Each structure stands twice: as C-alpha cells, then as structure tokens.
Amino acid sequence: MLAYSVNWSMKFIRPTVGMEYFRVRGTGDSRLEALSDGVFALAIAMLLVSTSVPTNFAELQRFVSDIVPFGICSVFLFWIWREHVRFFQRYGLTEDQRVMRLSFALTMLVPFFIYALKFLMGWLVGMTVGLVKLALGHPPAPIFTPLMEQVPMREVPVLMMIYSLGFLSIFTLFYVMYRHAMRHADELALSQQERFETLHTQRQHLLLIGTAACSILIAFVGYLTAWPWASFIAGFIYNGIAVGSVWLGKWRLRELAKMGGN
C-alpha cells in the first residue's frame, strides 16, 4: 500500500531538479517502478525494525544515539530512490529488458547495503561521541571498549571496503543505465540539451565511482600494511565528491549557456 501511494503520488509531483531540459517520458505507473518503490519502502521498514523500543533510560540513550545513523541511512535511501525515479521520468524504458535487469540488481543490492551503512554510521557516531566525552575528561576505557569489541581497529579498513564496495556497485549500476539510455538517444528522440544532461549525469556517476574506488584502494593498502590513518583517509576522501560536484556543476552551466546562445 505504501509503495502504491508513493508511486501514485509521483504523477502529481512536478519534476524540477535535473528535469529542466527534459521531456517527461515516464508515466510513473509501471510495474517495475512499483516494485522498486516497494523495495525502498521495505528498506526503510527494515531500518525501523532494527531499532528496538527502549525499556529503560540506558536503552533510551542508545535509541537517541541511533537516530543519527537512521537519519543518514534514510537520506541515502531517498537519494538512490530519487535517482531511480528521475531516470524513468527522463527516459521511460520501463519495458527495456536491460533496464529491468539493472533495476532488479539495484533493488536487490540496496536493502543489504543499507545495513552495512547503518552499522558504519552507528560506529562513527559512537566514536565521535566518545572523542567528545574524552575531551571532557571522561575515562577512555568505558567509552572505547564497547566500540573496539564491535570493530577492532585492525578491521576498520575492512568495514570501509564493504561500505565503499556497496557505494561503488550502486552507482555503477546507475552509470550503466544512463549509458544504455544514451545508446538509445535516437530512438528516444533526445534533444541536444537532453543528450548533454545525460552525459553530465554519467560524469557525476563516474565521480562517485572513482571516489569509492580510491577509498577501497586506500583501505585495502591500510589493511595490508596496518597503516593507522588508512581508514580515516578512506572515509575523508568522500568529501572530494562535494568539490568535484561543484566543479561539474559550474562546467554544466557554462556549456548550457553556450547551447542557449546557439
């Protein structure tokens, strides 16, 4: 019912971001889109179920600290879902066999990956809170011992590799979907601006894929060499996405201005 409601309501949402130069080709009522909406709704439900109801004050504190990882995972899920919706709004292709296979792979991957994301975010939030407590003068052993039992420092690079592999896989699927759409540009009667926007989205996905690949490489080297800073750098490198996105955005506006001038 939730998936149907989301799918039905999408017909009345005016496309804005990323759709300025596109003719809407997707109707939003295909069985494929309904399935993907259901899977994303299920993923959020899985996150909620994994968060137990507190029965005492200590559990209430853990519940409150669990809100941040849950929020991050929800935002990430919405990002992926919106990217999937935008693809079908732009190109339709709900009956295309390759798009169906890629979408199935995406919807299979997301629910499993989201658990790895929540575990990583929960561990990072716990570590951040622990460092704040340490700075306030709390003894380190009660703070960091539970975290070390969850993930020994030696295994943190492996955790980063698991997260980055999921991130890389998801956006590789999106990249292949957009590349497939571009190959059918003539059949879809894409305009010059639509073709440019399709290529621009592919470049955005390549930025995400390249960042995840670098993170995996750094974490892997850190795991082999026991380099203590490897995990930090493997996570920090994701901040480069913001820098790259700003540069790509400015380049996109310049190119679109040139097209408008023509």
Side-chain angles (χ1 to χ4, degrees), residues 21-33:
Y21 302 101
F22 270 88
R23 173 170 60 89
V24 178
R25 295 173 175 83
T27 58
D29 56 1
S30 70
R31 298 294 297 274
L32 179 61
E33 291 171 279

Side-chain angles (χ1 to χ4, degrees), residues 230-247:
S231 300
F232 172 79
I233 296 174
F236 185 80
I237 198 173
Y238 279 94
N239 292 310
I241 292 175
V243 178
S245 296
V246 169
W247 184 85

Side-chain angles (χ1 to χ4, degrees), residues 203-222:
R203 293 185 181 99
Q204 289 179 314
H205 291 152
L206 284 175
L207 170 64
L208 301 174
I209 293 166
T211 302
C214 290
S215 178
I216 293 170
L217 179 61
I218 293 169
F220 181 68
V221 171

Side-chain angles (χ1 to χ4, degrees), residues 147-174:
L147 294 172
M148 295 304 101
E149 290 176 352
Q150 280 186 322
V151 186
M153 292 304 296
R154 169 69 178 168
E155 303 299 330
V156 175
V158 179
L159 179 59
M160 284 303 307
M161 283 190 281
I162 293 172
Y163 165 75
S164 296
L165 279 170
F167 190 96
L168 183 148
S169 301
I170 287 170
F171 288 100
T172 296
L173 289 171
F174 276 126

